[in-house]
Amino acid sequence: MSSTPDAPVWADEPLANNVHDCALVFEGGGYRGAYTAGMVNLLLEQGIHFDYACGISAGSSHTINYVSRDQTRVHMAFLAIDGKEPVGGFASFLRGHGYFNADYLYEGCIRDGFCGFAWETFCANPARIRIQAFEAATGRSVSFTKDDMPDVWHMINCVRASSTIPIAMKPLPIDGKTYYDGGLGHGAGLPLHLAEQDGYERFVMFATRPAGYRKKPLTGIERAVYTRLLGSQPHVLEATLTRPERYNAELDRIAGIEREGRALVIRPDEMPVSNGTLDTTKLQYAYGQGHTQLQRELPRLLDFIAG
């Protein structure tokens, strides 16, 4: 794949979408996104094209990759394969690049061509998108759309902003403002509210936690560590300390929307990797499991889309 803007994949005819009254929603979760990447590619293989997608953190990567319709990038983005630079690890952290080497994972791998981006196809796709980040200085939840992405570099920096985990990743300011993982903000990592804000009433959400999952309250030691490491950023600290309770409350709210029949949440049968897994073999297995699961659940998905 080229590191420069490429020709639309379907240059001989305009791109079109075939799901118009239902939003596609991607939960974050770091490298747990390998599992849902398998689901994303199943959608593309089946020609299921939503005209709206939104996501937070790793879900923001799924959002832009899905709209670019590049199945190779969807697959590679969550396999933790080192390109011309390592993608992360403790050695990366000690060298000052962060546990996840954000400089390379986002802009770097596009520039050197290792994991390019189908920019012109992304632009030609009429689908709308929205991704969320957390503004460190104010504690505001800030969202980005295609209007904030005049070129591939602005786009990938918005995705990086949405995905930057405090402590583990080096933030890249945008217009002088520092952003962190959108999961710190509204929704606590569950981005269904973004689609609601854009007027949608029906949702398909790809989750990265199995059914019944709830975040546990932070321990006293965890709170003390976060306070020490994030004390100079009070909004980031407060959002980190309160996230488990806010996440669980949003899970309950979404469960209510499911009971109303307005949401289909596809949850992993199991989650064989963690957000910090960098073992490519394990991530490839997770990808395959996600692909297989959605293939099995395809009739349920199609029934829901059809209303």
Side-chain angles (χ1 to χ4, degrees), residues 30-307:
Y31 276 96
R32 289 195 299 274
Y35 195 101
T36 41
M39 297 182 174
V40 175
N41 261 350
L42 196 282
L43 292 181
L44 294 176
E45 290 163 13
Q46 294 292 322
I48 301 171
H49 300 302
F50 288 74
D51 67 353
Y52 179 93
C54 63
I56 289 178
S57 192
S60 67
S61 290
H62 282 332
T63 297
I64 59 142
N65 293 340
Y66 172 73
V67 172
S68 79
R69 301 191 182 180
D70 187 335
Q71 294 180 41
T72 300
R73 181 177 172 87
V74 169
H75 189 193
M76 288 185 62
F78 288 92
L79 290 186
I81 299 173
D82 290 341
K84 296 181 181 179
E85 294 183 30
V87 297
F90 288 109
S92 173
F93 184 81
L94 293 174
R95 288 195 296 269
H97 297 299
Y99 181 79
F100 303 111
N101 182 0
D103 288 340
Y104 189 72
L105 281 170
Y106 297 96
E107 183 175 333
C109 67
I110 295 177
R111 286 197 180 277
D112 70 15
F114 179 73
C115 191
F117 186 83
W119 171 249
E120 290 192 12
T121 303
F122 174 82
C123 293
N125 190 333
R128 293 188 297 152
I129 68 166
R130 190 174 294 276
I131 63 178
Q132 178 175 293
F134 181 86
E135 190 176 296
T138 65
R140 292 191 309 129
S141 294
V142 177
S143 63
F144 304 108
T145 69
K146 282 184 173 180
D147 291 340
D148 302 296
M149 304 170 182
D151 56 45
V152 68
W153 313 118
H154 281 81
M155 178 212 65
I156 205 65
N157 286 342
C158 289
V159 174
R160 176 173 175 174
S162 177
S163 308
T164 299
I165 303 170
I167 305 168
M169 295 172 69
K170 183 172 68 174
L172 178 69
I174 298 176
D175 296 329
K177 298 177 181 179
T178 297
Y179 297 97
Y180 284 108
D181 194 299
L184 293 174
H186 191 51
L190 297 162
L192 188 140
H193 66 279
L194 295 175
E196 290 176 308
Q197 291 169 9
D198 283 324
Y200 284 85
E201 297 182 352
R202 299 179 67 248
F203 319 91
V204 170
M205 188 174 91
F206 288 173
T208 57
R209 295 291 195 177
Y213 172 81
R214 289 294 185 274
K215 285 189 179 297
K216 297 179 180 179
L218 296 176
T219 66
I221 292 176
E222 288 172 331
R223 296 178 70 88
V225 170
Y226 283 132
T227 299
R228 180 176 180 82
L229 294 176
L230 299 173
S232 63
Q233 302 181 87
H235 294 294
V236 180
L237 174 61
E238 175 67 14
T240 301
L241 296 181
T242 61
R243 188 175 175 227
E245 294 81 4
R246 293 186 294 114
Y247 180 92
N248 292 342
E250 185 66 1
L251 278 179
D252 292 340
R253 189 182 78 86
I254 292 172
I257 297 173
E258 284 184 272
R259 288 192 293 270
E260 294 171 6
R262 296 191 297 114
L264 174 64
V265 181
I266 307 292
R267 298 177 177 88
D269 293 332
E270 61 169 347
M271 180 48 67
V273 295
S274 72
N275 64 338
T277 298
L278 293 177
D279 184 316
T280 299
T281 300
K282 292 179 180 179
L283 294 170
Q284 179 63 56
Y285 173 77
Y287 174 91
Q289 292 296 101
H291 188 277
T292 298
Q293 179 182 342
L294 191 60
Q295 196 165 38
R296 185 180 69 249
E297 298 200 38
L298 192 58
R300 185 163 71 108
L301 173 64
L302 294 175
D303 284 347
F304 181 84
I305 290 172

